[in-house]
């Protein structure tokens, strides 16, 4: 599979949920260069999940978010979802087939790829996450870290250019967490990692943005943002 990354552009992204008096996202402008690893942090309710939903067409905006120059709108949503993969916090949302190999094959098979190509993508995706030996296991027999790595593989098998991860280390023990960190460090895609795990951000990301109250309140190199303890505490991150 090609290791291609795409740029993401958010231009004054605004979103307000029906029945709410305040914007969930209040004019967020952000350019994420192709191949960058961005940490998205902020307190609960800051707008992180809403932003994630705009990155693969679960929500739409005007002007639209762009991935590799392509607007995320209803006309392009199918193509966008083949370029942008989201790894959910709850692995049960992505692991539901009888075996790991079938879970990883589900996306490319449903996209219409020939059987031989599906098998190749499964092998490569499992290799990328260090889970080749898990192909014939059931997800019920996997550890937390193994489940998270397989969930990542289900997205990588679609040969995505952007990988968005929602709390990828939540509820993992130290070994599982290290395994996920190692996987993310080895990927070439553009990464957006939404998390409360600042150690993960420091280990994986080269840039960090802080959302608070739907607004982008800080943006900079990882060390500069995470070493500013006063700022982290002021915005409910630490």
């Amino acid at each position: 599979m090609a290791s291609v990354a795409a740029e993401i552009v958010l231009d004054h992204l605004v979103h307000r949920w029906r029945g709410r008096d305040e914007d969930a996202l209040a004019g967020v402008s952000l350019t994420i260069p192709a191949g960058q690893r961005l940490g998205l942090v902020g307190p609960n309710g800051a707008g992180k999940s809403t932003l994630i939903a705009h990155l693969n067409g679960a929500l739409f905006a005007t002007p639209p978010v762009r991935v590799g120059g392509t607007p995320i709108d209803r006309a392009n949503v199918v193509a966008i979802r083949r370029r942008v993969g989201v790894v959910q916090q709850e692995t049960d949302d992505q692991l539901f087939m009888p075996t790991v190999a079938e879970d990883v094959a589900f996306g490319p098979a449903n996209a219409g790829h020939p059987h031989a190509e599906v098998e190749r993508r499964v092998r490569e995706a499992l290799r990328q996450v260090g889970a080749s030996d898990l192909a014939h296991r059931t997800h019920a027999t996997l550890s937390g870290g193994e489940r998270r790595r397989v969930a990542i593989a289900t997205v990588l098998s679609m040969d995505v250019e952007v990988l968005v991860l929602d709390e990828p280390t939540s509820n993992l023990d130290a070994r599982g967490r290290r395994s996920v960190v190692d996987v993310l460090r080895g990927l070439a895609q553009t990464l957006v990692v939404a998390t409360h795990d600042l150690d993960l951000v420091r280990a994986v990301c080269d840039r960090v943005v802080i959302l608070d109250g739907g607004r982008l309140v800080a943006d900079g190199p990882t060390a500069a943002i995470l070493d500013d303890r006063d700022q982290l505490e002021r915005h409910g991150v630490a």
Side-chain angles (χ1 to χ4, degrees):
M1 291 182 289
S3 296
V4 178
E7 179 185 72
I8 305 169
V9 178
L10 290 68
D11 181 13
H12 199 74
L13 177 60
V14 175
H15 185 88
R16 177 176 293 187
W17 294 105
R18 184 175 298 176
R20 299 289 181 88
D21 294 330
E22 296 181 351
D23 292 332
L25 293 172
V28 176
S29 294
L30 181 66
T31 296
I32 308 170
Q36 188 168 76
R37 301 171 181 180
L38 181 80
L40 177 62
V41 303
N44 291 335
K48 300 189 298 297
S49 296
T50 305
L51 192 153
I52 286 174
H54 278 278
L55 296 183
N56 79 331
L59 295 172
F60 302 103
T62 303
V65 175
R66 292 180 176 270
V67 173
T70 301
I72 301 179
D73 55 25
R74 287 176 174 82
N76 296 316
V77 68
V78 173
I80 285 294
R81 288 177 181 170
R82 292 179 179 176
R83 301 177 69 183
V84 180
V86 178
V87 180
Q88 304 290 347
Q89 181 176 355
E90 298 298 330
T91 55
D92 285 346
D93 294 339
Q94 293 179 258
L95 306 181
F96 48 82
M97 298 294 285
T99 69
V100 164
E102 289 171 284
D103 274 319
V104 179
F106 184 85
N110 278 272
H113 292 289
H115 180 71
E117 173 64 9
V118 172
E119 288 192 332
R120 186 189 70 79
R121 285 172 176 246
V122 170
R123 288 194 302 271
E124 176 62 11
L126 289 175
R127 183 199 64 77
Q128 285 184 281
V129 302
S132 298
D133 59 328
L134 304 179
H136 301 296
R137 297 264 297 274
T138 65
H139 63 264
T141 68
L142 304 179
S143 69
E146 289 170 338
R147 289 167 67 90
R148 201 62 54 90
R149 285 187 285 131
V150 170
I152 294 171
T154 67
V155 174
L156 295 179
S157 67
M158 292 299 292
D159 203 10
V160 296
E161 299 166 46
V162 176
L163 186 62
V164 182
L165 302 108
D166 186 8
E167 297 290 355
T169 56
S170 65
N171 301 316
L172 296 186
D173 60 19
R175 178 180 296 175
R177 185 182 172 284
R178 283 195 302 270
S179 70
V180 170
V181 167
D182 289 344
V183 167
L184 298 183
R185 281 174 165 171
L187 298 179
Q189 285 86 355
T190 307
L191 298 185
V192 178
V193 184
T195 184
H196 290 96
D197 184 348
L198 299 186
D199 289 334
L200 167 68
V201 172
R202 196 180 289 274
V204 171
C205 301
D206 42 53
R207 178 184 174 194
V208 179
V209 298
I210 300 177
L211 284 182
D212 192 4
R215 290 175 167 77
L216 196 159
V217 296
D219 179 358
T222 298
I225 297 295
L226 297 190
D227 288 346
D228 189 341
R229 188 75 183 183
D230 289 343
Q231 178 171 251
L232 296 180
E233 291 180 352
R234 186 164 64 251
H235 294 295
V237 179

